[in-house]
Amino acid sequence: MKFYAIREESATPVDILSTWLYRDLYHAEYMGKRNRYGDLPYEPIRLIKNLSLMPPVVIANTRLIVSSELAARLPLGPGVDVCRCVYEFCYWHAADAQSVSTLLEELSPMNDDFAQWRARHQVPSPPNCEYSEVIAIPIPQHHAAEPVYRLSLPPPSYSPKPIEITLAHRAAEAYPIIEAIPYYLLRDDAFDALVEFLPTQLFRVIELTLTCGDRNGVGF
């Protein structure tokens, strides 16, 4: 069985489009309650978004956010819900290499410069938000005797230890998207709907071939 693990990329930048600033301009930030799968009623999370970049897939503080059009193409059902987002506020800044490079000279990721700059560049929000939050079931509990897959995923930058995941066979078969923060695990049908919208500078994608009891994970 094929699964894929995706998360926001945070590797050392190799060009202007993989810097912290471009990532912040590209992705979103959210305000409000963190929705958990099945904890109804869901509350729309409030996004802070750069209107010059409106890609179909973004990450907002580890939350998986997709365009509402793309949400309609995802394999939904048990284990996966979507909730339409609203805007907290929007701002606008060009995201070409020269514009990002110029702004990098003014701002620092280590203080509140960017948040203050963003607030100064606030623009009216569109009347309707174009994004929806994907609310996926966290890795379900499993019984000791159940057959499982054992995965070891690369850690995010803030942790030295790999992320160890034990996933029951029945969960892998039942759920097209599973929350494993900072990753999301996507069955091949869910991944196929998203893959063309995951630029390599901004997303870490790991292909997983699940076999009983194996510890695996090969990035590409």
Side-chain angles (χ1 to χ4, degrees):
M1 177 182 291
K2 279 288 183 68
F3 251 74
Y4 297 83
I6 67 167
R7 67 171 169 83
E8 181 185 356
E9 181 59 277
S10 56
T12 302
V14 295
D15 58 32
I16 202 70
L17 300 185
S18 58
T19 59
W20 71 267
L21 178 57
Y22 186 80
R23 290 199 308 271
D24 281 7
L25 293 171
Y26 184 97
H27 289 295
E29 186 176 334
Y30 87 87
M31 311 289 289
K33 175 185 175 182
R34 178 181 176 182
N35 289 316
R36 298 299 304 234
Y37 177 77
D39 185 14
L40 300 171
Y42 298 129
E43 296 181 10
I45 62 175
R46 307 189 308 274
L47 297 181
I48 299 172
K49 189 74 188 77
N50 176 20
L51 294 182
S52 79
L53 277 170
M54 299 292 284
V57 183
V58 299
I59 300 292
N61 310 85
T62 75
R63 311 314 299 161
L64 179 60
I65 309 295
V66 301
S67 70
S68 296
E69 179 180 354
L70 184 54
R73 293 170 43 192
L74 288 175
L76 303 178
V80 184
D81 288 334
V82 295
C83 182
R84 192 71 177 257
C85 300
V86 297
Y87 288 120
E88 174 73 7
F89 74 83
C90 295
Y91 64 101
W92 193 97
H93 191 271
D96 60 277
Q98 182 58 55
S99 298
V100 174
S101 180
T102 299
L103 190 56
L104 272 172
E105 297 176 1
E106 303 176 22
L107 302 177
S108 166
M110 304 306 293
N111 54 38
D112 292 332
D113 285 358
F114 181 64
Q116 295 170 3
W117 173 91
R118 190 175 58 189
R120 293 196 303 270
H121 288 76
Q122 185 172 346
V123 298
S125 300
N128 297 309
C129 187
E130 299 180 20
Y131 287 102
S132 295
E133 178 191 10
V134 178
I135 307 168
I137 191 168
I139 296 173
Q141 296 290 325
H142 64 279
H143 303 297
E146 277 190 278
V148 297
Y149 302 115
R150 300 189 187 280
L151 309 175
S152 181
L153 298 176
S157 58
Y158 54 78
S159 173
K161 296 182 179 179
I163 296 173
E164 308 290 347
I165 295 173
T166 302
L167 179 64
H169 285 199
R170 60 177 174 82
E173 294 170 356
Y175 305 124
I177 305 175
I178 298 172
E179 179 187 280
I181 299 299
Y183 288 93
Y184 284 84
L185 305 181
L186 276 62
R187 203 170 59 197
D188 54 1
D189 52 345
F191 182 73
D192 287 346
L194 300 183
V195 61
E196 65 180 291
F197 308 113
L198 303 176
T200 56
Q201 305 104 317
L202 298 162
F203 291 89
R204 182 74 179 269
V205 178
I206 299 172
E207 181 179 351
L208 305 167
T209 300
L210 303 188
T211 56
C212 187
D214 279 357
R215 187 183 298 269
N216 56 65
V218 181
F220 69 89

Coordinates of all heavy atoms in Angstrom, one line a residue, residues 56-98:
P56 N -3.5 26.6 -4.1 CA -4.6 25.7 -3.7 C -4.3 25.0 -2.4 O -5.3 24.5 -1.8 CB -4.8 24.8 -4.9 CG -4.2 25.5 -6.0 CD -3.1 26.3 -5.5
V57 N -3.1 24.9 -2.0 CA -2.7 24.2 -0.8 C -1.7 25.0 0.0 O -0.7 25.4 -0.5 CB -2.1 22.8 -1.0 CG1 -1.8 22.1 0.3 CG2 -3.0 21.9 -1.9
V58 N -2.1 25.3 1.3 CA -1.2 26.0 2.2 C -1.2 25.3 3.6 O -2.1 24.5 3.9 CB -1.5 27.5 2.3 CG1 -1.4 28.2 1.0 CG2 -2.9 27.7 3.0
I59 N -0.3 25.7 4.4 CA -0.2 25.2 5.8 C -0.4 26.5 6.7 O 0.2 27.5 6.4 CB 1.1 24.5 6.1 CG1 1.3 23.3 5.2 CG2 1.1 24.1 7.6 CD1 0.3 22.2 5.5
A60 N -1.3 26.4 7.7 CA -1.5 27.5 8.6 C -1.2 26.9 10.0 O -2.1 26.3 10.6 CB -2.9 28.1 8.5
N61 N 0.0 27.2 10.5 CA 0.4 26.7 11.9 C 0.0 25.2 12.0 O -0.6 24.8 13.0 CB -0.4 27.5 12.9 CG -0.3 29.0 12.8 OD1 -1.1 29.6 12.0 ND2 0.7 29.6 13.4
T62 N 0.5 24.4 11.1 CA 0.4 23.0 11.0 C -1.0 22.5 10.5 O -1.2 21.3 10.3 CB 0.6 22.2 12.4 OG1 -0.4 22.4 13.3 CG2 2.0 22.7 13.0
R63 N -2.0 23.4 10.3 CA -3.3 23.0 9.8 C -3.2 23.0 8.3 O -2.6 23.8 7.6 CB -4.4 24.0 10.2 CG -4.4 24.4 11.7 CD -4.3 23.2 12.6 NE -5.4 22.2 12.4 CZ -5.3 21.0 12.8 NH1 -4.2 20.5 13.4 NH2 -6.3 20.2 12.7
L64 N -3.8 21.9 7.7 CA -3.8 21.7 6.3 C -5.0 22.5 5.7 O -6.2 22.2 6.1 CB -4.0 20.2 6.0 CG -4.0 19.9 4.5 CD1 -2.8 20.3 3.7 CD2 -4.2 18.4 4.3
I65 N -4.7 23.5 4.9 CA -5.8 24.4 4.3 C -5.7 24.2 2.8 O -4.6 24.3 2.2 CB -5.5 25.8 4.7 CG1 -5.3 26.0 6.2 CG2 -6.6 26.7 4.2 CD1 -6.4 25.7 7.0
V66 N -6.9 24.0 2.2 CA -7.0 23.9 0.7 C -8.0 24.8 0.2 O -8.9 25.2 0.9 CB -7.3 22.4 0.3 CG1 -6.2 21.5 0.8 CG2 -8.6 22.0 0.8
S67 N -7.9 25.1 -1.1 CA -9.0 25.9 -1.7 C -10.3 25.2 -1.6 O -10.3 23.9 -1.6 CB -8.6 26.2 -3.2 OG -8.7 25.0 -4.0
S68 N -11.4 25.9 -1.6 CA -12.7 25.3 -1.4 C -13.0 24.4 -2.7 O -13.6 23.4 -2.6 CB -13.7 26.3 -1.2 OG -13.5 27.0 0.0
E69 N -12.4 24.8 -3.8 CA -12.6 24.0 -5.1 C -11.9 22.7 -4.9 O -12.4 21.6 -5.3 CB -12.1 24.8 -6.3 CG -12.2 24.0 -7.6 CD -11.7 24.8 -8.7 OE1 -11.3 26.0 -8.6 OE2 -11.6 24.3 -9.9
L70 N -10.7 22.7 -4.4 CA -9.9 21.5 -4.2 C -10.5 20.6 -3.1 O -10.5 19.4 -3.2 CB -8.5 21.8 -3.9 CG -7.5 20.7 -3.7 CD1 -7.5 19.8 -4.9 CD2 -6.1 21.2 -3.4
A71 N -11.1 21.2 -2.1 CA -11.7 20.4 -1.0 C -12.8 19.5 -1.6 O -13.0 18.4 -1.1 CB -12.3 21.4 0.0
A72 N -13.5 20.0 -2.6 CA -14.6 19.3 -3.2 C -14.0 18.0 -4.0 O -14.8 17.1 -4.3 CB -15.4 20.1 -4.2
R73 N -12.7 18.0 -4.3 CA -12.1 16.9 -5.1 C -11.5 15.9 -4.1 O -11.1 14.8 -4.6 CB -11.1 17.5 -6.0 CG -11.6 18.3 -7.2 CD -10.5 19.0 -7.9 NE -9.4 18.1 -8.2 CZ -8.2 18.6 -8.7 NH1 -8.0 19.9 -8.9 NH2 -7.2 17.8 -8.9
L74 N -11.3 16.2 -2.9 CA -10.7 15.3 -1.9 C -11.6 14.1 -1.6 O -12.8 14.3 -1.6 CB -10.3 16.0 -0.6 CG -9.1 17.0 -0.7 CD1 -9.0 17.7 0.7 CD2 -7.8 16.3 -1.1
P75 N -11.0 12.9 -1.4 CA -11.8 11.8 -0.9 C -12.2 12.0 0.5 O -11.4 11.8 1.4 CB -10.9 10.6 -1.1 CG -9.5 11.2 -1.1 CD -9.6 12.6 -1.6
L76 N -13.4 12.4 0.7 CA -13.9 12.7 2.1 C -14.6 11.4 2.6 O -14.6 10.4 2.0 CB -14.8 13.9 2.1 CG -14.1 15.2 1.6 CD1 -15.2 16.3 1.6 CD2 -12.9 15.5 2.4
G77 N -15.3 11.5 3.7 CA -16.0 10.4 4.3 C -15.5 10.2 5.8 O -15.0 11.1 6.4
P78 N -15.7 9.0 6.3 CA -15.2 8.8 7.7 C -13.8 9.1 7.9 O -12.9 8.7 7.1 CB -15.5 7.3 7.9 CG -16.5 6.9 6.9 CD -16.3 7.8 5.7
G79 N -13.5 9.9 8.9 CA -12.1 10.3 9.2 C -11.6 11.6 8.6 O -10.6 12.1 9.0
V80 N -12.4 12.2 7.7 CA -12.0 13.5 7.1 C -13.2 14.4 7.0 O -14.2 14.0 6.3 CB -11.3 13.3 5.7 CG1 -10.9 14.6 5.2 CG2 -10.2 12.3 5.8
D81 N -13.1 15.6 7.5 CA -14.1 16.6 7.3 C -13.5 17.9 6.8 O -12.2 18.0 6.8 CB -14.8 17.0 8.7 CG -15.7 15.9 9.2 OD1 -16.2 15.1 8.3 OD2 -15.9 15.8 10.4
V82 N -14.2 18.8 6.3 CA -13.7 20.1 5.9 C -14.6 21.2 6.5 O -15.8 20.9 6.7 CB -13.6 20.3 4.3 CG1 -12.6 19.3 3.7 CG2 -15.0 20.1 3.7
C83 N -14.0 22.3 6.8 CA -14.8 23.4 7.3 C -14.3 24.7 6.6 O -13.1 25.0 6.6 CB -14.5 23.5 8.8 SG -15.4 24.9 9.6
R84 N -15.2 25.5 6.1 CA -14.9 26.7 5.4 C -14.2 27.7 6.3 O -14.7 27.9 7.5 CB -16.2 27.3 4.8 CG -15.9 28.4 3.8 CD -15.4 27.8 2.5 NE -15.2 28.9 1.5 CZ -16.0 29.0 0.4 NH1 -17.1 28.3 0.3 NH2 -15.8 30.0 -0.5
C85 N -13.1 28.3 5.9 CA -12.4 29.3 6.7 C -13.0 30.7 6.5 O -13.8 30.9 5.5 CB -10.9 29.3 6.3 SG -10.1 27.8 6.5
V86 N -12.7 31.6 7.3 CA -13.0 33.0 7.2 C -11.6 33.8 7.3 O -10.6 33.2 7.6 CB -14.0 33.5 8.2 CG1 -15.3 32.8 8.1 CG2 -13.4 33.3 9.6
Y87 N -11.6 35.0 6.9 CA -10.4 35.8 7.0 C -10.4 36.6 8.3 O -11.4 37.3 8.7 CB -10.3 36.8 5.9 CG -10.0 36.2 4.5 CD1 -10.9 36.3 3.5 CD2 -8.8 35.4 4.3 CE1 -10.6 35.7 2.2 CE2 -8.5 34.9 3.1 CZ -9.4 35.0 2.1 OH -9.1 34.4 0.9
E88 N -9.3 36.6 9.0 CA -9.0 37.5 10.1 C -8.6 38.8 9.5 O -9.2 39.9 9.9 CB -7.9 36.9 11.0 CG -7.4 37.9 12.1 CD -8.4 38.0 13.3 OE1 -9.4 37.2 13.3 OE2 -8.2 38.8 14.2
F89 N -7.6 38.8 8.7 CA -7.4 40.0 7.8 C -6.4 39.6 6.7 O -5.8 38.5 6.7 CB -6.8 41.2 8.6 CG -5.3 41.0 9.1 CD1 -4.3 41.3 8.2 CD2 -5.1 40.7 10.4 CE1 -3.0 41.2 8.6 CE2 -3.8 40.6 10.8 CZ -2.7 40.8 9.9
C90 N -6.3 40.4 5.7 CA -5.5 40.1 4.5 C -4.5 41.3 4.3 O -4.7 42.4 4.8 CB -6.4 39.9 3.3 SG -7.5 38.5 3.3
Y91 N -3.5 41.0 3.7 CA -2.5 42.0 3.3 C -2.0 41.6 1.9 O -2.4 40.6 1.3 CB -1.3 42.0 4.3 CG -0.5 40.8 4.3 CD1 0.8 40.7 3.7 CD2 -0.9 39.7 5.1 CE1 1.5 39.5 3.7 CE2 -0.2 38.5 5.1 CZ 1.0 38.5 4.5 OH 1.8 37.3 4.5
W92 N -1.2 42.5 1.3 CA -0.7 42.3 -0.1 C 0.7 42.7 -0.2 O 1.1 43.7 0.3 CB -1.5 43.1 -1.0 CG -1.3 42.7 -2.5 CD1 -2.1 41.8 -3.2 CD2 -0.3 43.1 -3.4 NE1 -1.6 41.7 -4.5 CE2 -0.5 42.4 -4.6 CE3 0.9 43.9 -3.2 CZ2 0.4 42.5 -5.7 CZ3 1.7 44.0 -4.3 CH2 1.5 43.3 -5.5
H93 N 1.5 41.7 -0.7 CA 2.9 42.0 -1.1 C 3.3 41.1 -2.2 O 3.1 39.9 -2.2 CB 3.8 41.8 0.1 CG 5.2 42.4 -0.1 ND1 6.2 41.6 -0.7 CD2 5.7 43.6 0.1 CE1 7.3 42.4 -0.8 NE2 7.1 43.6 -0.4
A94 N 4.0 41.7 -3.2 CA 4.4 40.9 -4.3 C 5.4 39.9 -3.8 O 6.2 40.1 -2.9 CB 5.1 41.8 -5.3
A95 N 5.4 38.7 -4.5 CA 6.2 37.6 -4.1 C 7.2 37.1 -5.1 O 7.7 36.0 -5.0 CB 5.3 36.4 -3.7
D96 N 7.5 38.0 -6.0 CA 8.6 37.7 -7.0 C 9.9 37.8 -6.2 O 10.0 38.3 -5.1 CB 8.6 38.6 -8.2 CG 8.8 40.1 -7.7 OD1 7.8 40.7 -7.3 OD2 9.9 40.6 -7.7
A97 N 11.0 37.2 -6.8 CA 12.3 37.1 -6.1 C 12.9 38.4 -5.7 O 13.4 38.6 -4.6 CB 13.3 36.3 -7.0
Q98 N 12.8 39.4 -6.6 CA 13.3 40.7 -6.2 C 12.6 41.4 -5.1 O 13.2 41.9 -4.1 CB 13.3 41.7 -7.4 CG 13.9 43.0 -7.2 CD 15.3 42.9 -6.7 OE1 16.2 42.3 -7.4 NE2 15.6 43.5 -5.6

